[in-house]
C-alpha cells in the first residue's frame, strides 16, 4: 500500500519499512515500535538514506570531463533528487526504476537504467542495485549508499556508541582534504581503542568522513554507549565511509560505496577518476548491501 507521501510500505512480523518513490529512498525502519532510520530533520540533515548516483562524493570544482567536454554535477549526483517509477511491489519487496532522459543527458552524457530494490527477510533489509547500460558505448559511473541511523541513548554525554569492524588489522583511512576532495597522499590509522573498537566521540568526524578503501571492511556493527550491538551492515563494496555532520548530531551514517569523491586537484577524464565503475555496452551491474536489526 502507498500513503499520500508516495511511500510504499513493506511489512513482516519483525519490521515495517517505508520507501519513497522520490529518490527511491528508504525513509523508515521500525522494529518493536522503535525507529532506527534518521527522520530527516533539516536542522541536522534533510535526508534519510539517499542513493548516490552517478557519482559518489564531490567532483573537483564540481566539474568533470568526457571526451574533453566539461559537465557539472553537484555532490553525490542527481538520482537522489529524482522521482523513480514503481516497477513491482509485493508485501516484502519493492522495486523502482529511473531512466535517462533529455535532462539527465545534459548533466551526464550516458544512457542508463537504474533500478533500486528493497526486500525484507526476518530482521534483515536487503538493498539491491541494478545498473543497466542500454547503449553501444561503455558507461562510466559510481553508485553508493548513505543511510543514517539513530544513536541508541544519544542523549548521554561522552561516547555515543562504537563501531565493531570485521577487520581491525592495519586499517588505513583516507580523509577529506580541500574542496571536498580526498587527500590520497596521506593515510591515517583507524582510531581504535584498546578493545579494537572505533568509538564515536565529539571529534570522530572533525575532518568529515572516515573512508576505508580496498575492501578493508565488509561488515560493521553499531553499538550503544554500553557496547551493546543493535544494528549491523554487511556489504561487498570496495569502499565504505563513516560520517556524521556534527558533534551533536543524533545519528551516524554507514555508507557502502562503489566509488568516492575526486582526489584533490584531479582534472583528468571522467573514466580515469579513482574507483570508477565501467559498464560494457548492453551490460548490467548488480550490487547492494544488507541492514540487520539485532
Amino acid at each position: 500500500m502507498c500513503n499520500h507521501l508516495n511511500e510504499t510500505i513493506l511489512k513482516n512480523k519483525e519490521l515495517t519499512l517505508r520507501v519513497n518513490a522520490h529518490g527511491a529512498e528508504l525513509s523508515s525502519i521500525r522494529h518493536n515500535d522503535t525507529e532506527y532510520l534518521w527522520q530527516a530533520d533539516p536542522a541536522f540533515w534533510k535526508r534519510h538514506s539517499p542513493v548516490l548516483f552517478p557519482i559518489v562524493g564531490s567532483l573537483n570544482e564540481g566539474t568533470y570531463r568526457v571526451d574533453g567536454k566539461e559537465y557539472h554535477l553537484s555532490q553525490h549526483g542527481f538520482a537522489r533528487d529524482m522521482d523513480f517509477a514503481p516497477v513491482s511491489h509485493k508485501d516484502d519487496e519493492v522495486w523502482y526504476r529511473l531512466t535517462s532522459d533529455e535532462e539527465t543527458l545534459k548533466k551526464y552524457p550516458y544512457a542508463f537504467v537504474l533500478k533500486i530494490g528493497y526486500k525484507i527477510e526476518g530482521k534483515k533489509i536487503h538493498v539491491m542495485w541494478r545498473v543497466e547500460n542500454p547503449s553501444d558505448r561503455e558507461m562510466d559511473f559510481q553508485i553508493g549508499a548513505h543511510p543514517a541511523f539513530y544513536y541508541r541513548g544519544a542523549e548521554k554525554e561522552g561516547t555515543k556508541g562504537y563501531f565493531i569492524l570485521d577487520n581491525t588489522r592495519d586499517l588505513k583511512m583516507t580523509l577529506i582534504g580541500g574542496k571536498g576532495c580526498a587527500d590520497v597522499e596521506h593515510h591515517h590509522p583507524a582510531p581504535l581503542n584498546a578493545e579494537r573498537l572505533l568509538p564515536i566521540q565529539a571529534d570522530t568526524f572533525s575532518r568529515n568522513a572516515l573512508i576505508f578503501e580496498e575492501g578493508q571492511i565488509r561488515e560493521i556493527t553499531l553499538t550503544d554507549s554500553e557496547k551493546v550491538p543493535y544494528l549491523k551492515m554487511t556489504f561487498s563494496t570496495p569502499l565504505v565511509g563513516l560520517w556524521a555532520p556534527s558533534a551533536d548530531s543524533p545519528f551516524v551514517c554507514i555508507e557502502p560505496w562503489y566509488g568516492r569523491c575526486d582526489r584533490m586537484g584531479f582534472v583528468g577524464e571522467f573514466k580515469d577518476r579513482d574507483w570508477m565503475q565501467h559498464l560494457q555496452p548492453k551490460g548490467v551491474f548488480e550490487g547492494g548491501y544488507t541492514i540487520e536489526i539485532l
Side-chain angles (χ1 to χ4, degrees), residues 235-252:
F235 41 87
S236 58
T237 57
L239 303 96
V240 63
L242 304 175
W243 176 81
S246 63
D248 61 344
S249 67
F251 68 88
V252 68

Side-chain angles (χ1 to χ4, degrees), residues 56-226:
V56 173
S58 299
L59 299 166
N60 184 30
E61 303 291 352
T63 301
Y64 71 98
R65 298 149 196 86
V66 176
D67 298 330
K69 183 178 179 180
E70 289 192 348
Y71 297 86
H72 306 281
L73 284 174
S74 58
Q75 185 183 46
H76 298 318
F78 51 72
R80 61 183 182 168
D81 294 317
M82 296 188 70
D83 291 328
F84 283 61
V87 175
S88 63
H89 178 209
K90 298 184 289 188
D91 288 345
D92 63 349
E93 185 173 346
V94 64
W95 280 89
Y96 292 91
R97 179 180 62 237
L98 180 69
T99 303
S100 55
D101 58 23
E102 289 185 9
E103 291 305 310
T104 67
L105 289 169
K106 293 175 183 177
K107 298 178 285 188
Y108 175 68
Y110 297 91
F112 69 86
V113 178
L114 171 61
K115 296 178 181 177
I116 306 295
Y118 299 90
K119 180 179 176 63
I120 51 176
E121 178 187 13
K123 292 195 287 184
K124 293 182 178 180
I125 303 141
H126 302 292
V127 184
M128 300 164 286
W129 301 325
R130 182 180 172 94
V131 182
E132 301 174 3
N133 178 4
S135 76
D136 294 321
R137 63 178 294 196
E138 184 173 88
M139 174 186 170
D140 305 310
F141 72 98
Q142 296 174 332
I143 190 168
H146 203 316
F149 304 108
Y150 280 107
Y151 294 118
R152 179 174 288 178
E155 68 280 356
K156 297 180 182 179
E157 295 184 1
T159 301
K160 294 185 176 184
Y162 297 84
F163 294 116
I164 301 173
L165 310 177
D166 68 332
N167 170 31
T168 61
R169 297 180 59 186
D170 303 319
L171 283 173
K172 300 294 183 183
M173 303 187 306
T174 301
L175 298 180
I176 301 297
K179 299 182 179 179
C181 294
D183 177 4
V184 299
E185 300 299 322
H186 303 91
H187 293 94
H188 306 265
L192 305 180
N193 64 13
E195 299 172 86
R196 309 300 288 173
L197 304 177
L198 200 164
I200 305 169
Q201 300 169 325
D203 63 348
T204 300
F205 305 107
S206 60
R207 289 191 57 183
N208 207 309
L210 311 182
I211 303 171
F212 298 89
E213 305 190 23
E214 305 287 353
Q216 294 179 80
I217 301 171
R218 296 299 173 88
E219 180 179 292
I220 297 177
T221 300
L222 184 58
T223 84
D224 64 16
S225 59
E226 303 300 320

